[in-house]
Amino acid sequence: MHRCVCAALAVLSLVGASPTPGSAPPRSVPWKASRLDKPNEHVIFLQYGETEPALKLKETMPVEELNPTHYPARRAAAVAQHFLNARHGSPYKWFHVEQVQSATLEEIAGVGAKYHVVFSAKEGVCNQSVGLCTADVLFPEAGGDQTAPQVQCSCEGPLAINASAQEEAFYRRLRGSNSPVTGNNIPDSFGFIAPDMKPLWILAGVASSFVMLKESNENTLYNLAQVANVTQLESEDKQLKFQYHVLLHEMVSQEIIHWKLLVTWAPAGGVSVLHPERQPHCHDCVLPPATAPKERSDPE
Amino acid sequence: GSDEVPQRFARSEPLATLGNYNYTKYHPMPEITAWMEMVVKENPGVVSAEVYGRTFENKNITALKIGLNSTSSKKVIWMDCGIHAREWIAPAFCQWFVKEVKYQESKARCIVGMQAMILRTYKSDERMHTILNNVDFYITPVLNMDGYMYSWQNESTRLWRKSRSAPPAGCNCNGTDLNRNFNANWGMIGVSKDCCSDIYCGSKVLSESEADAVTSFVQSMKERVLCFLTIHSHGQLILVPYGYPEIQAPNYDELMQVAQKASEAIKSVHGMEYTVGTPPMVLYPNSGSSRDWARLIGIPFSFTFELRDKGEFGFKLPEDQIQPTCEEAYEGARSIINYVHDKNFPVKGGSVAAATAAFWTTLLASCLTSATFLTEARVPARKILGSGFCEVSEINQKPAVVTDKATADDLDERLTGPLLGDKQRGPEENHNAVIGPRHDRRQRFRGKDVFSQGCCSAFVLRVSVCHRELSAQARLSVHPAPAAKTRETRSWLTASADQR
């Protein structure tokens, strides 16, 4: 088990006109009926394979309180989580929503649906709370140019958790190694992850967050289901470079969606994702195992 | 063939006895089938197997029926696991549940003295025994056997969800989402008509033999079914009817209250939060689910459990989380089962039981401090009888010694006779009674004979017999029983066993 060196650093505020996280949100605001309780609402959910965006008939509504345990607030918080990971994640830093505390929704005609959500979060590797996070998540209206949600998010606690000792060690090990690292099926069918594969799994989660963020809308809830394979590639610069094939689980459609990602990372910078490629729907397919470009390392 | 377990996935040793079975590992279908056969074989009169349908690939869909004095008119509680192939923690939970129910029931049948020692579980042990007298459990450990076996084939098939039925004409992919195939607003929302989709609802309602089997079987006994539980993962939710958004169950408030209480019971075990609500509130609207169908045909309590986790590992929950997940889910299920049972079989004499239990604890505590206790724990009944058997006739009086052989023989027979499946004794008679010349001094509580006073030797005899029985059950688990309350029992039992 890695000894976690998690020092608290100054709060990292993100660029943007985000509301100040300092003021505590009201705790016992009574919850009003969610949109789906309204009888004149009718929502058809996007079916797999359709290219047309989901059709929604709704009225423009004022800002309304959302029940924090209901799915609209939780999906918005998940999007904020993807944003946090894309911005701040690393092979040793992975953020998770713990609990949604409060949320509101504002429908902005001609623009989209803007969620304001307050949630507690923690970093999973060091198991350290980052306190309350406040996020604005804007899902653009269907039919426009934008499809990806726009997010602003900041947290009370330290997002720049100091995991540099482990990150440096991991970086040096992979940089210095003669045989490029490969991995298959992480976790395996029994949920097991070999200790030396764990940072590659976390890195996959962080990299997938770029995709999950971009692909999210009000009718999706994404998670990384599995790393099918990962191969370390030669890198021209000082970054580590990996080819990933990941499986994402989308909860509403229950689909497993395959993506190929080119991922770079170095301790100094963050994670970058290049050339994300969605793979065709693979119903009964068998995935080829990873093969290293030079020396093949035995995945078993 | 599909019955073979690929070498890569072959697990541990072959199942010789139930004592070998590891409930904290995932098991392939052949091992689960063997386990079911063993459970039936080792618990005659309590557990039986019922085949109630066939999968698409023609496998027998089997439920374990667990109950005491089963009749065709007993009330029923239904539980199914593994309707979705990749949700491996669900079948693991069904197996755990069976193991736990049997264990709790065995403890309840143990002597009153033992029950006093595990005071805090007195009520629950007693309760499980009572529940099994009043209710039959029907537990299907793996409903979607074809899908489950397919998910074991290799790493690429691990995340399969649906059945393995052939595609309809004009479409190219196998399988239907069984939990969209039931006759409950079928095909309306939260489904796909594309057979390649993971929420494909089928070519028509009940197109799938697995869904049809559940429908026919439950329908045939629907007036008797008190509660329908269907176990899934992941998400940490307790879902109440309906998944279909436009309707509300008439007992919605009660369903929410019961589910909320179950959520609190779950949280009390390991602190995990399980959100309670209807699917349109907390997950997504959907139609054609088994839970909805059960409620629609009039089964008053119908719940979906979505077990751990919240997405970090998702369907591939690590094996080291099997035990804590099962422990908390068991408490959640039991909370619902207790409520449903008590609603239909009102509990009497609660305060009397509590007073009895309190008395026994005090008495047993003083017994345990005596040195002779530990020695006598290892002595078989006959030896003690040879030197005389004591029975306290009045509180604070000296024990009287029984030397009458006829009484001693009877005593021995009752102490060392079979504890399971004892048909001669009716529910009112305590088959664990210790008889002596002061028979009339005993008081009756809820049909069980209880000594008004006890004797250290009597406790010892009871303990040694009980120990055998509990040890047999204890070997079923890799780890001791979940709650701390029972852990102290186990460690005490282990301690005395170690002294043999």
Side-chain angles (χ1 to χ4, degrees):
Chain A
M1 223 49 214
H2 301 287
R3 209 177 30 152
C4 229
V5 181
C6 296
L9 299 180
V11 171
L12 190 73
S13 270
L14 302 175
V15 177
S18 48
T20 51
S23 54
R27 288 200 169 248
S28 51
V29 179
W31 165 73
K32 293 183 207 149
S34 80
R35 295 178 308 135
L36 285 170
D37 286 347
K38 300 228 163 38
N40 58 349
E41 296 263 310
H42 189 56
V43 181
I44 303 167
F45 288 87
L46 184 71
Q47 293 187 11
Y48 182 83
E50 286 182 0
T51 50
E52 285 176 1
L55 181 68
K56 285 187 192 178
L57 310 166
K58 56 178 185 280
E59 305 160 347
T60 303
M61 284 180 279
V63 176
E64 58 169 304
E65 291 290 328
L66 299 179
N67 187 315
T69 65
H70 289 194
Y71 76 73
R74 298 215 325 270
R75 288 180 195 175
V79 173
Q81 174 185 304
H82 300 322
F83 176 84
L84 285 178
N85 281 312
R87 284 292 175 99
H88 299 280
S90 83
Y92 285 86
K93 246 182 277 165
W94 200 3
F95 298 98
H96 299 284
V97 171
E98 284 196 299
Q99 212 172 47
V100 179
Q101 201 190 65
S102 67
T104 61
L105 167 63
E106 183 187 354
E107 307 271 10
I108 306 172
V111 178
K114 183 172 141 190
Y115 290 78
H116 179 82
V117 60
V118 179
F119 58 93
S120 58
K122 77 167 186 190
E123 193 286 306
V125 178
C126 286
N127 209 22
Q128 183 165 327
S129 167
V130 295
L132 283 182
C133 301
T134 306
D136 279 318
V137 178
L138 174 63
F139 294 107
E141 209 167 62
D145 298 330
Q146 289 262 25
T147 52
Q150 294 163 44
V151 183
Q152 290 162 358
C153 181
S154 56
C155 301
E156 282 176 342
L159 291 171
I161 290 162
N162 190 354
S164 56
Q166 295 118 311
E167 289 176 4
E168 284 292 333
F170 173 71
Y171 175 78
R172 268 187 262 110
R173 176 163 65 90
L174 264 63
R175 270 306 271 190
S177 166
N178 279 329
S179 53
V181 149
T182 63
N184 290 300
N185 304 312
I186 311 164
D188 71 7
S189 286
F190 307 95
F192 174 73
I193 301 174
D196 59 341
M197 287 291 130
K198 196 158 183 203
L200 290 174
W201 175 62
I202 296 169
L203 180 59
V206 171
S208 300
S209 298
F210 285 79
V211 171
M212 297 193 286
L213 174 60
K214 188 167 169 295
E215 296 291 306
S216 287
N217 57 53
E218 286 171 285
N219 298 323
T220 60
L221 184 68
Y222 279 101
N223 276 299
L224 171 67
Q226 194 198 28
V227 177
N229 55 59
V230 54
T231 309
Q232 184 182 3
L233 301 175
E234 271 209 35
S235 173
E236 307 78 40
D237 56 28
K238 289 211 169 84
Q239 307 232 300
L240 293 178
K241 194 167 173 185
F242 303 92
Q243 176 71 50
Y244 271 99
H245 185 137
V246 297
L247 274 52
L248 304 183
H249 174 243
E250 198 290 293
M251 183 68 89
V252 180
S253 64
Q254 291 290 349
E255 292 298 331
I256 301 295
I257 306 168
H258 297 235
W259 283 84
K260 275 205 160 101
L261 316 167
L262 206 57
V263 180
T264 62
W265 172 77
V271 175
S272 295
V273 174
L274 315 162
H275 311 305
E277 279 172 18
R278 184 180 187 145
Q279 302 301 293
H281 185 217
C282 191
H283 199 73
D284 277 304
C285 65
V286 178
L287 294 167
T291 53
K294 283 182 186 173
E295 287 169 71
R296 179 196 286 261
S297 52
D298 192 342
E300 245 72 68
Chain B
S2 54
D3 282 335
E4 286 169 14
V5 177
Q7 193 53 41
R8 183 175 177 175
F9 289 83
R11 306 294 282 159
S12 48
E13 22 352 280
L15 187 63
T17 74
L18 223 41
N20 279 347
Y21 202 74
N22 190 337
Y23 291 90
T24 65
K25 281 206 163 326
Y26 295 119
H27 291 272
M29 199 65 228
E31 287 181 12
I32 297 178
T33 304
W35 168 82
M36 289 173 72
E37 288 165 6
M38 197 66 65
V39 170
V40 169
K41 187 168 147 212
E42 293 194 4
N43 295 281
V46 183
V47 183
S48 61
E50 285 212 31
V51 176
Y52 62 93
R54 294 243 167 188
T55 67
F56 178 79
E57 290 170 358
N58 230 10
K59 301 183 187 71
N60 283 337
I61 305 174
T62 312
L64 291 176
K65 184 170 96 173
I66 306 178
L68 301 168
N69 309 308
S70 289
T71 68
S72 57
S73 58
K74 270 180 83 182
K75 298 296 185 187
V76 167
I77 290 177
W78 174 273
M79 182 185 295
D80 66 76
C81 296
I83 192 171
H84 290 139
R86 58 195 180 198
E87 299 167 9
W88 285 13
I89 185 62
F93 173 67
C94 263
Q95 293 163 72
W96 180 281
F97 184 85
V98 167
K99 178 259 299 177
E100 205 53 37
V101 162
K102 285 191 316 99
Y103 176 72
Q104 296 290 339
E105 196 279 329
S106 295
K107 275 203 293 185
R109 293 161 122 266
C110 211
I111 51 159
V112 172
M114 283 305 297
Q115 287 173 332
M117 195 186 133
I118 35 182
L119 166 69
R120 277 166 289 165
T121 61
Y122 177 83
K123 271 193 159 162
S124 63
D125 299 341
E126 173 84 0
R127 198 173 224 177
M128 186 51 80
H129 186 76
T130 308
I131 291 175
L132 286 170
N133 264 321
N134 294 329
V135 165
D136 282 341
F137 286 95
Y138 281 84
I139 300 170
T140 305
V142 185
L143 176 54
N144 180 8
M145 297 163 74
D146 294 350
Y148 186 72
M149 293 183 75
Y150 184 70
S151 74
W152 272 81
Q153 258 186 36
N154 54 57
E155 302 279 1
S156 294
T157 62
R158 174 62 176 86
L159 294 173
W160 187 257
R161 168 183 169 88
K162 303 187 286 183
S163 70
R164 291 295 296 166
S165 55
C171 191
N172 227 352
C173 302
N174 295 328
T176 293
D177 186 344
L178 292 176
N179 206 33
R180 303 285 186 278
N181 193 240
F182 283 78
N183 189 10
N185 299 293
W186 177 84
M188 299 288 287
I189 191 169
V191 297
S192 173
K193 298 298 179 78
D194 173 4
C195 85
C196 294
S197 164
D198 260 324
I199 50 174
Y200 175 54
C201 55
S203 52
K204 58 175 177 142
V205 67
L206 296 180
S207 58
E208 306 305 296
S209 57
E210 295 87 348
D212 194 45
V214 171
T215 298
S216 297
F217 193 35
V218 173
Q219 183 89 37
S220 73
M221 48 178 171
K222 72 170 181 186
E223 285 82 24
R224 298 194 279 135
V225 181
L226 302 179
C227 183
F228 185 95
L229 299 173
T230 180
I231 314 297
H232 295 239
S233 78
H234 60 94
Q236 295 180 209
L237 308 166
I238 301 178
L239 302 172
V240 318
Y242 290 104
Y244 189 69
E246 305 288 337
I247 53 178
Q248 193 178 77
N251 62 341
Y252 170 78
D253 288 341
E254 187 184 20
L255 286 168
M256 285 293 286
Q257 272 169 36
V258 172
Q260 191 55 49
K261 227 168 138 247
S263 175
E264 286 157 24
I266 289 175
K267 189 168 177 181
S268 73
V269 183
H270 297 296
M272 285 297 182
E273 301 267 1
Y274 277 57
T275 304
V276 170
T278 65
M281 287 156 64
V282 300
L283 186 57
Y284 43 61
N286 68 343
S287 57
S289 67
S290 62
R291 170 211 59 244
D292 277 11
W293 170 79
R295 185 63 194 88
L296 281 172
I297 62 162
I299 294 170
F301 295 92
S302 184
F303 300 97
T304 305
F305 275 47
E306 295 278 358
L307 302 180
R308 290 194 195 181
D309 58 17
K310 283 180 156 180
E312 188 185 348
F313 290 94
F315 304 112
K316 298 186 167 192
L317 193 69
E319 287 183 312
D320 63 11
Q321 288 198 48
I322 293 179
Q323 175 160 345
T325 305
C326 288
E327 288 169 349
E328 68 201 15
Y330 180 76
E331 292 305 317
R334 240 204 22 190
S335 162
I336 295 173
I337 288 164
N338 286 346
Y339 178 89
V340 163
H341 169 269
D342 292 351
K343 187 170 180 179
N344 289 271
F345 302 91
V347 176
K348 299 184 190 72
S351 59
V352 169
T356 310
F359 171 82
W360 284 119
T361 310
T362 320
L363 199 51
L364 186 57
S366 62
C367 268
L368 285 173
T369 56
S370 88
T372 53
F373 167 76
L374 288 171
T375 325
E376 287 180 276
R378 287 170 296 175
V379 179
R382 279 216 173 270
K383 276 202 120 177
I384 292 180
L385 285 167
S387 62
F389 173 74
C390 66
E391 182 199 344
V392 176
S393 51
E394 301 284 346
I395 294 176
N396 296 325
Q397 281 196 0
K398 285 190 181 170
V401 175
V402 172
T403 51
D404 162 42
K405 189 179 184 301
T407 309
D409 282 344
D410 188 285
L411 174 69
D412 196 36
E413 192 243 321
R414 279 175 175 263
L415 286 177
T416 57
L419 288 178
L420 285 176
D422 203 342
K423 289 211 168 81
Q424 301 96 301
R425 294 167 175 118
E428 282 305 294
E429 195 180 353
N430 181 11
H431 43 261
N432 293 325
V434 177
I435 311 177
R438 315 281 175 146
H439 181 107
D440 55 324
R441 297 275 176 182
R442 282 169 295 166
Q443 299 167 32
R444 287 183 172 272
F445 291 100
R446 287 205 255 164
K448 278 193 187 263
D449 290 347
V450 168
F451 275 133
S452 55
Q453 304 90 24
C455 155
C456 285
S457 295
F459 274 115
V460 159
L461 287 169
R462 310 309 308 137
V463 159
S464 67
V465 171
C466 209
H467 182 205
R468 274 200 340 255
E469 172 61 19
L470 282 184
S471 297
Q473 292 290 333
R475 278 197 300 277
L476 298 183
S477 302
V478 173
H479 303 278
K485 51 199 179 203
T486 50
R487 207 167 276 140
E488 52 196 43
T489 314
R490 299 289 206 115
S491 56
W492 178 80
L493 286 175
T494 317
S496 50
D498 289 341
Q499 278 142 18
R500 284 175 192 248

